[in-house]
Amino acid sequence: GENVEQHPSTLSVQEGDSAVIKCTYSDSASNYFPWYKQELGKGPQLIIDIRSNVGEKKDQRIAVTLNKTAKHFSLHITETQPEDSAVYFCAATEEGADGLTFGKGTHLIIQP
Amino acid sequence: GAVVSQHPSRVICKSGTSVKIECRSLDFQATTMFWYRQFPKQSLMLMATSNEGSKATYEQGVEKDKFLINHASLTLSTLTVTSAHPEDSSFYICSAPHVRAGGGYTFGSGTRLTVV
């Protein structure tokens, strides 16, 4: 089955700086890589996703890059704001066929 | 669009009793529903996959007789935790893939189960 590793487990950055979270996956059949933000007591909210036919995707301050050869993908948040503080999870799957395999999560702390 | 409604959001039950969690797809047909469990400060772990009209498939280590899953229609999947024990206390979340522009997976808002 799929195995997803996520680093770092905790990331503290100054407000306005950039944050980068990295994930690796093991199953070459995986073709869908979403990123979720989870606030305490709530379900995960999709913030961006990427499929294996593209290498990069951007949505305002958030971007995701994918390297299929190396089997890793990264989340980039620029101009961080206090409301970006949360736990972020990466995930991977063969879309539609399987459920998602999640990384262990990154607690992002934005220091004012 | 593509909303999954999950109820209840919180439930407290006594040891030995059963609890049912419902997930409904409100504006699309969910032929498949994934059920996850999340312990405090941990990641989401896939427990089982339900498919409308057929038996659920369970991940290794998940007791199928304890976590009963029913997918009675294209818009409703239920998870029943039977004979609950304190170690079953967790956050349970459902998710459905949706085949439409954008694709992806929609998550319910989760159920916080506390067994006392």
Side-chain angles (χ1 to χ4, degrees):
Chain A
E2 178 64 274
N3 181 49
V4 177
E5 300 283 342
Q6 182 172 347
H7 300 279
S9 57
T10 303
L11 178 60
S12 181
V13 300
Q14 289 295 124
E15 182 179 351
D17 288 350
S18 296
V20 180
I21 303 171
K22 299 182 179 182
C23 289
T24 61
Y25 62 100
S26 62
D27 190 347
S28 56
S30 290
N31 57 8
Y32 179 63
F33 309 92
W35 286 87
Y36 293 90
K37 178 181 182 181
Q38 188 178 29
E39 296 175 347
L40 197 63
K42 298 184 178 179
Q45 296 294 315
L46 178 71
I47 56 171
I48 196 167
D49 57 11
I50 192 167
R51 291 177 172 82
S52 57
N53 58 343
V54 298
E56 185 174 358
K57 184 176 178 181
K58 189 174 181 180
D59 182 5
Q60 298 184 352
R61 297 187 297 111
I62 296 173
V64 56
T65 59
L66 171 65
N67 183 326
K68 287 189 298 182
T69 303
K71 293 194 181 71
H72 66 72
F73 56 113
S74 300
L75 176 71
H76 304 252
I77 305 175
T78 59
E79 300 172 21
T80 53
Q81 302 168 2
E83 52 266 35
D84 294 330
S85 294
V87 179
Y88 291 80
F89 292 97
C90 63
T93 192
E94 184 177 0
E95 189 173 14
D98 297 316
L100 292 162
T101 299
F102 285 84
K104 291 190 184 298
T106 296
H107 184 193
L108 177 62
I109 301 166
I110 307 301
Q111 305 274 10
Chain B
V3 175
V4 172
S5 177
Q6 183 171 350
H7 294 280
S9 58
R10 290 177 178 271
V11 58
I12 300 172
C13 70
K14 292 184 178 180
S15 288
T17 62
S18 296
V19 173
K20 180 185 283 189
I21 301 169
E22 292 189 348
C23 281
R24 294 180 183 274
S25 56
L26 298 185
D27 51 358
F28 68 105
Q29 292 183 333
T31 55
T32 299
M33 190 73 74
F34 300 106
W35 288 92
Y36 298 85
R37 179 168 54 184
Q38 185 178 32
F39 291 109
K41 297 187 178 181
Q42 293 189 24
S43 188
L44 290 81
M45 297 295 293
L46 181 65
M47 297 175 63
T49 303
S50 71
N51 293 288
E52 189 269 336
S54 62
K55 287 185 178 181
T57 57
Y58 291 80
E59 297 299 305
Q60 192 173 9
V62 178
E63 301 173 59
K64 59 181 67 177
D65 293 332
K66 181 169 186 61
F67 299 98
L68 301 180
I69 290 174
N70 184 274
H71 201 131
S73 72
L74 289 172
T75 59
L76 176 63
S77 177
T78 62
L79 167 67
T80 301
V81 183
T82 64
S83 186
H85 290 285
E87 56 265 32
D88 298 324
S89 298
S90 188
F91 195 51
Y92 293 86
I93 310 170
C94 60
S95 174
H98 44 92
V99 183
R100 57 189 290 169
Y105 297 75
T106 296
F107 282 82
S109 54
T111 298
R112 172 71 61 194
L113 170 63
T114 303
V115 185
V116 297

